[in-house]
Amino acid sequence: MIKSFLIFILLILVSCGESKPPPNPEVFEIKNIGELATSEYTVGKIVKLDDSDAAWYKPGDRKILINCKAKIKAGIDLNQIKNSDIIINGRTIEIIIPAAKVISFTMDSKYSYTAMESVSGLRDSFTQEEKNDFLRQGEKAIKKELKNTKILDEATKNAEMFIENFYKRMGYEEVIVNKTIPE
Amino acid sequence: MKDLKKLVINILILSFIALIGYLVYLFFIKDNESDSLIIDETPMHIESIRTIAEISTVSFKDEVVMDSIEFFDSSINLSNPLDWFEASERVYNRNVKRRLTIIVKGEIKYGIDLTSNNFKISQNNDTLWLNIPKPKILDILVSPSETEIFQEQGHWSDGARRQLENLAKRRIQFSAENLNLDKKATENAERLFRKLINTQKELIIYFE
């Protein structure tokens, strides 16, 4: 009787086992691009979470501080320059460049670390899934705050300087760089 | 027979109490993953600003799955009731003690780094020579929004997750290198410079 009961319990457990097979990755993508990155910002942010105001029936609290870093590059898309955007008149060249944009954003886990983690009472420790979610929120906040920096202005200025220097080294005496006004 | 009946009833009562306890823990105490925790607002600080001149000509995007799995290795004694919990855990998890599976979407950019003004232009009446460095990997881009923790069983440290993410990055890089993308990056760079230089002279581009 006991044996059958134990076998029954084991069978239930086996039937409930959740073992997800690893997913198949998507097919890769190769794209031809032509981006000139001219300004690189390294920014930092402290991702802070204090869960002490959680529901009254959850004894204890959870606190975490994660230090993260992101590297952002901004510049112009050279592929957007059409042949008609380059006008040569003797020793003078005039070029219209597109508006600057953020070209790349990376927030490598190599530069992110948990600075403080505190869990008390009956609360659960932070899982990696939760930490990744906090970092996602941090990433979103950084992307939002980037608009308040001068990264795009600096990228445009540096792109103008690079293009001017490039054509001057080709022998042009005057290089006129016109910027496209961002939408 | 009577004792056996009593034992089964006792086991059932204990199981019921344990179930109620578990349900109370599950619904009232356990930190539910679906409860979205919102981080506090903190300022972003700029650590450095650098003027660069990098021309990316090829972008390669890939998605890799990294799986780290640890099995129970020691045997247990089923006649010992203290081992019963572990036995049920082993059966439930197919003898898997810990498992972390992550999906990382990454992007690699190949191109030319002209930051230190390391290019030369020379010309005569009918030919223009441009010497530029060979294309290389400029960026390996990964971010938390492109990383998914697909399965997390057991406790995992930050270091273990970071190690998996680094392996994922290396695998993406390996795939890119196998596709000879540096050659494609060279061809694209040549096409781009021909468009930008727009000269009547013969243009010869050297990658060195």
Side-chain angles (χ1 to χ4, degrees):
Chain A
M1 178 73 179
I2 296 176
K3 220 174 182 180
S4 337
F5 176 73
L6 284 173
I7 289 169
F8 174 70
I9 294 288
L10 282 177
L11 281 173
I12 289 175
L13 287 172
V14 169
S15 65
C16 293
E18 51 164 337
S19 179
K20 290 188 259 178
N24 290 323
E26 282 173 17
V27 180
F28 55 75
E29 179 193 309
I30 301 170
K31 224 162 68 178
N32 294 333
I33 53 170
E35 294 164 341
L36 169 65
T38 54
S39 186
E40 183 192 86
Y41 270 46
T42 303
V43 299
K45 191 178 178 73
I46 306 280
V47 170
K48 183 177 153 196
L49 186 119
D50 184 352
D51 192 18
S52 46
D53 296 334
W56 60 269
Y57 50 79
K58 290 190 174 184
D61 53 27
R62 305 162 90 206
K63 288 175 188 173
I64 193 164
L65 292 175
I66 304 174
N67 207 334
C68 60
K69 260 184 201 180
K71 205 171 259 188
I72 305 108
K73 289 180 184 176
I76 58 168
D77 186 355
L78 295 173
N79 277 347
Q80 279 183 23
I81 300 175
K82 300 182 286 285
N83 284 336
S84 58
D85 291 334
I86 304 171
I87 302 158
I88 300 166
N89 190 2
R91 311 291 281 171
T92 302
I93 186 165
E94 194 174 345
I95 182 167
I96 303 169
I97 58 166
K101 61 177 185 177
V102 170
I103 280 173
S104 70
F105 181 99
T106 184
M107 200 166 139
D108 204 319
S109 60
K110 200 163 63 177
Y111 306 112
S112 300
Y113 61 91
T114 305
M116 189 281 271
E117 191 176 343
S118 159
V119 179
S120 64
L122 295 172
R123 308 295 300 276
D124 287 335
S125 299
F126 289 101
T127 62
Q128 291 304 325
E129 194 171 352
E130 282 178 315
K131 286 181 185 177
N132 194 56
D133 181 48
F134 304 151
L135 287 172
R136 275 183 189 197
Q137 291 181 46
E139 180 187 337
K140 209 173 155 188
I142 290 174
K143 282 179 177 169
K144 205 173 146 191
E145 279 177 78
L146 262 185
K147 288 171 190 156
N148 302 329
T149 65
K150 289 185 173 169
I151 188 168
L152 295 183
D153 294 339
E154 274 166 40
T156 309
K157 199 176 77 191
N158 294 342
E160 276 179 61
M161 272 164 52
F162 175 79
I163 286 170
E164 203 178 313
N165 173 39
F166 184 80
Y167 284 118
K168 282 208 166 152
R169 279 170 79 168
M170 265 180 71
Y172 288 101
E173 281 168 6
E174 193 182 4
V175 182
I176 304 163
V177 182
N178 294 316
K179 295 169 280 184
T180 306
I181 299 157
E183 286 169 11
Chain B
M1 189 63 192
K2 203 179 168 187
D3 285 348
L4 198 65
K5 202 176 166 185
K6 204 174 168 187
L7 181 69
V8 170
I9 290 169
N10 283 344
I11 287 175
L12 282 173
I13 290 169
L14 282 172
S15 307
F16 182 72
I17 291 167
L19 184 72
I20 296 291
Y22 180 67
L23 288 175
V24 167
Y25 166 74
L26 204 66
F27 292 107
F28 294 104
I29 296 169
K30 189 181 184 333
D31 290 297
N32 208 330
E33 277 166 16
S34 60
D35 294 345
S36 53
L37 296 166
I38 310 292
I39 60 165
D40 297 346
E41 271 186 35
T42 51
M44 174 189 92
H45 54 275
I46 297 168
E47 290 186 1
S48 70
I49 298 174
R50 208 162 66 97
T51 298
I52 54 169
E54 293 175 356
I55 301 177
S56 313
T57 55
V58 168
S59 150
F60 169 75
K61 282 183 186 168
D62 202 2
E63 186 178 30
V64 292
V65 174
M66 300 307 300
D67 193 21
S68 184
I69 192 161
E70 198 180 306
F71 293 98
F72 285 101
D73 48 5
S74 59
S75 59
I76 50 166
N77 181 11
L78 271 178
S79 59
N80 180 3
L82 292 174
D83 283 350
W84 286 3
F85 178 74
E86 193 183 317
S88 62
E89 199 188 342
R90 285 186 182 204
V91 174
Y92 183 81
N93 293 318
R94 309 282 202 275
N95 204 37
V96 174
K97 193 176 178 186
R98 293 196 313 153
R99 187 173 198 172
L100 182 66
T101 312
I102 62 167
I103 307 170
V104 179
K105 283 182 194 163
E107 184 180 3
I108 290 190
K109 283 188 174 176
Y110 274 83
I112 299 156
D113 186 2
L114 301 174
T115 303
S116 46
N117 255 326
N118 47 343
F119 64 96
K120 269 186 248 158
I121 302 172
S122 49
Q123 56 189 312
N124 63 17
N125 286 339
D126 37 42
T127 312
L128 195 144
W129 293 272
L130 173 66
N131 290 51
I132 46 176
K134 275 185 182 163
K136 61 176 184 179
I137 291 177
L138 295 176
D139 289 305
I140 303 176
L141 308 169
V142 285
S143 64
S145 62
E146 298 294 329
T147 305
E148 185 193 335
I149 310 290
F150 180 74
Q151 190 172 5
E152 185 179 2
Q153 183 189 323
H155 177 76
W156 289 89
S157 67
D158 292 356
R161 193 195 68 190
R162 210 173 293 136
Q163 203 179 352
L164 272 189
E165 285 173 358
N166 281 339
L167 284 173
K169 265 170 57 182
R170 255 188 269 163
R171 192 176 281 185
I172 295 171
Q173 188 179 341
F174 184 69
S175 304
E177 281 164 359
N178 276 351
L179 289 164
N180 289 325
L181 291 181
D182 47 348
K183 200 179 156 200
K184 198 172 173 62
T186 309
E187 287 165 9
N188 287 349
E190 193 165 341
R191 200 166 35 237
L192 192 71
F193 278 108
R194 283 190 189 281
K195 189 177 94 175
L196 287 175
I197 289 174
N198 197 358
T199 177
Q200 301 292 323
K201 295 177 185 177
E202 189 194 353
L203 174 63
I204 299 168
I205 302 173
Y206 287 113
F207 293 90
E208 50 188 29

